[in-house]
Amino acid sequence: MDLLKEKIVKEGQVYPGNILKVDCFLNHQIDCTFLREVGKEFHRLFKDEGVNKILTIEASGIAIGTVVAQEFECPLVFAKKNKTKNIAGDVYSSSVESFTHSTTYNIIVSEKFLNPGDKVLIVDDFLAIGNALKGLIDLVKQSGAELVGCGTVIEKGYQHGGDALREAGIRVESLAIIESMNDETGEIVFRD
Amino acid sequence: MDLLKEKIVKEGQVYPGNILKVDCFLNHQIDCTFLREVGKEFHRLFKDEGVNKILTIEASGIAIGTVVAQEFECPLVFAKKNKTKNIAGDVYSSSVESFTHSTTYNIIVSEKFLNPGDKVLIVDDFLAIGNALKGLIDLVKQSGAELVGCGTVIEKGYQHGGDALREAGIRVESLAIIESMNDETGEIVFRD
C-alpha cells in the first residue's frame, strides 16, 4: 500500500533496537482519515472470503479493527489483556509473550462472541515475532470458528513472524513489510 | 439518542451491583455500523465548536474515538494506561482511580499530541463516577489546549459523575443517561 509506505517514510521515526515509531498516525495519535483507506485495502484483499467477524486485540488494534469492520459491515471483537470484573461467564483464553514489554499476559474473548460457523479475519497494527497473532489464532481455534486470515498494517519482515505464519499455511497480508531499518540514517527498506 | 436507548433495552443486561453489560455491541464485541451513528450524533452536537482533536482513553474508548474522529476529519489521540517502552520523550500524566477495578492507574499522553491552540473533544464509552474523564480533562489542562466538552455514550446518572462535571461548568453530552436499573426485572429507566 503505497500511501502507507509514504506515510511511514515521511512520519515514522527509526530508533536504535529496530524500533519504528509511528505513534503520530497509527498507535497513539491516529489519522482516522488515512485509517479509512487501510480499512478499504483490507476489504479489497479479503472481500471474497465471506468474513463475518473481525477480531483484534486491545489497545492499538481497536482503531484498525473498527475501520475494517465498517468496510465488512460486520461486528468487531477485541480480545482483552486481563480478565476484568465486567466479563461474566466463560471465555476463551490464551497466553501471549510480549516482545516489546518482556512479559507474558493472558488474552481473553467471551465465548459468546466467537462461534463455530464464524469466518474470522484477524487484524492488528504490527506484526513482529507474531506472538499476539498466534494468541488470537489460538482463540479462533478454541471457538471452532474458521480463520480466514490475518491482516496487519506494518510487518517487521526481519523478525520473521509473518514468514513463520505463512509457512504454517495461514494467509497473512501486511500492507507494508519492512525488510530493514537504519537508525543512523533513518532509511527504511521495504520488501517488494 | 433513541436508537441507542432501544439497543440498551434490547441487548443490554442488568446485573446486581448496578452493572450494565453492553459488551455485545459497545465494549467487547462492537457493532461498528451502529457506532457510525454514534459518531454522527457527537458531530451534530459539537460541530460548531471548532474541534480539531478527539481525545479518549484505552481500550474501550478507542472504537468510539475512531468514529467520532472520522466525522470531524481530525486526529484521534488515546491516552495510555501505562508507560510503555515505545513512548519516548515527555508525556502529560494523570492519576485515575478505577471504580470498576478498585485500583488506581496512571494515564499518559505524549506532549507531542496535545498543544495550546488545540480544541479538544473528549469521548468515552461510559460515564459513572467520572474519574476517567477527570483524568483526561487534567491532561488537556496540562497541555494548554482548550477543552470543548465531553461526549459519552452511556452515562450512569445515578452515580452523578456527569452532574458534578456539569456543575463545574464543563459541557457533558451523553447519548443515554440511565437514572435507575432493576437487576431483578431488567428494567432500565432513562433520564429525560
Side-chain angles (χ1 to χ4, degrees):
Chain A
M1 188 183 178
D2 289 341
L3 181 63
L4 171 63
K5 290 180 186 169
E6 287 164 20
K7 221 166 157 71
I8 292 169
V9 169
K10 197 175 161 193
E11 301 178 31
Q13 290 174 294
V14 181
Y15 286 82
N18 270 327
I19 291 172
L20 173 68
K21 275 173 66 71
V22 287
D23 62 352
C24 56
F25 71 89
L26 191 62
N27 50 19
H28 185 18
Q29 178 169 262
I30 297 170
D31 181 338
C32 293
T33 307
F34 163 72
L35 214 60
R36 188 172 278 156
E37 300 306 313
V38 167
K40 285 179 184 167
E41 181 65 5
F42 282 127
H43 184 257
R44 188 185 69 77
L45 289 163
F46 288 100
K47 68 179 185 306
D48 300 324
E49 305 300 324
V51 171
N52 76 328
K53 204 155 276 183
I54 310 299
L55 177 66
T56 190
I57 183 169
E58 65 177 7
S60 46
I62 295 175
I64 293 142
T66 301
V67 296
V68 175
Q70 283 180 333
E71 293 299 324
F72 280 91
E73 298 182 333
C74 75
L76 166 69
V77 176
F78 69 87
K80 304 196 175 198
K81 282 182 178 166
N82 285 300
K83 182 149 187 169
T84 71
K85 275 189 195 170
N86 280 358
I87 295 197
D90 293 326
V91 296
Y92 304 116
S93 172
S94 193
S95 178
V96 175
E97 197 180 328
S98 169
F99 179 77
T100 314
H101 300 96
S102 310
T103 180
T104 299
Y105 55 91
N106 284 313
I107 61 172
I108 57 165
V109 164
S110 170
E111 289 185 359
K112 291 185 291 185
F113 302 135
L114 285 179
N115 299 290
D118 280 340
K119 300 187 94 167
V120 180
L121 171 61
I122 293 172
V123 300
D124 205 359
D125 56 343
F126 267 96
L127 167 52
I129 301 288
N131 286 344
L133 285 190
K134 280 182 200 161
L136 292 169
I137 291 165
D138 184 31
L139 298 180
V140 174
K141 279 188 184 155
Q142 289 176 42
S143 75
E146 180 187 333
L147 176 68
V148 166
C150 302
T152 65
V153 181
I154 300 175
E155 177 177 338
K156 294 176 167 176
Y158 53 88
Q159 291 188 276
H160 302 295
D163 299 332
L165 289 168
R166 291 181 189 102
E167 280 164 25
I170 292 163
R171 182 177 173 194
V172 179
E173 300 279 0
S174 297
L175 304 189
I177 302 179
I178 295 171
E179 208 57 86
S180 65
M181 299 188 293
N182 184 324
D183 64 73
E184 288 180 5
T185 64
E187 192 193 13
I188 297 168
V189 179
F190 295 99
R191 191 182 292 182
D192 281 334
Chain B
M1 190 183 177
D2 289 341
L3 181 62
L4 172 62
K5 290 180 188 172
E6 286 164 22
K7 221 166 157 69
I8 292 169
V9 169
K10 196 175 162 195
E11 301 179 30
Q13 290 174 293
V14 181
Y15 286 82
N18 270 328
I19 291 173
L20 173 68
K21 275 173 67 73
V22 286
D23 62 351
C24 56
F25 70 89
L26 191 62
N27 50 19
H28 185 17
Q29 178 169 263
I30 298 170
D31 181 338
C32 293
T33 306
F34 164 72
L35 215 60
R36 187 172 279 158
E37 300 306 314
V38 167
K40 285 179 184 167
E41 181 65 6
F42 282 128
H43 184 258
R44 188 185 70 78
L45 289 164
F46 289 101
K47 68 179 185 306
D48 299 324
E49 305 301 325
V51 172
N52 76 328
K53 204 156 275 185
I54 310 299
L55 177 66
T56 190
I57 184 169
E58 67 177 7
S60 47
I62 295 175
I64 293 143
T66 300
V67 296
V68 175
Q70 283 180 332
E71 293 299 323
F72 281 92
E73 298 182 332
C74 75
L76 165 69
V77 176
F78 69 88
K80 304 196 175 199
K81 282 183 178 165
N82 284 300
K83 183 150 185 168
T84 71
K85 274 188 193 170
N86 279 359
I87 295 197
D90 293 327
V91 297
Y92 304 115
S93 173
S94 192
S95 178
V96 174
E97 198 179 329
S98 168
F99 178 77
T100 315
H101 300 98
S102 310
T103 179
T104 299
Y105 55 91
N106 284 313
I107 61 171
I108 57 165
V109 164
S110 170
E111 289 186 359
K112 291 185 291 186
F113 302 134
L114 284 178
N115 300 290
D118 280 339
K119 300 187 95 168
V120 181
L121 171 61
I122 293 172
V123 299
D124 205 359
D125 56 344
F126 267 96
L127 166 52
I129 301 288
N131 287 343
L133 285 190
K134 281 182 200 161
L136 292 170
I137 291 166
D138 184 30
L139 298 180
V140 174
K141 279 189 184 154
Q142 289 176 41
S143 75
E146 181 187 333
L147 177 67
V148 166
C150 301
T152 65
V153 181
I154 300 175
E155 177 177 339
K156 293 176 168 176
Y158 53 88
Q159 290 188 278
H160 301 296
D163 298 332
L165 289 168
R166 290 181 190 101
E167 280 163 25
I170 291 163
R171 182 177 173 195
V172 179
E173 301 278 1
S174 297
L175 304 189
I177 302 179
I178 295 171
E179 208 57 87
S180 65
M181 299 188 291
N182 184 324
D183 63 73
E184 288 180 7
T185 63
E187 192 193 14
I188 297 169
V189 178
F190 295 99
R191 190 182 292 181
D192 283 334

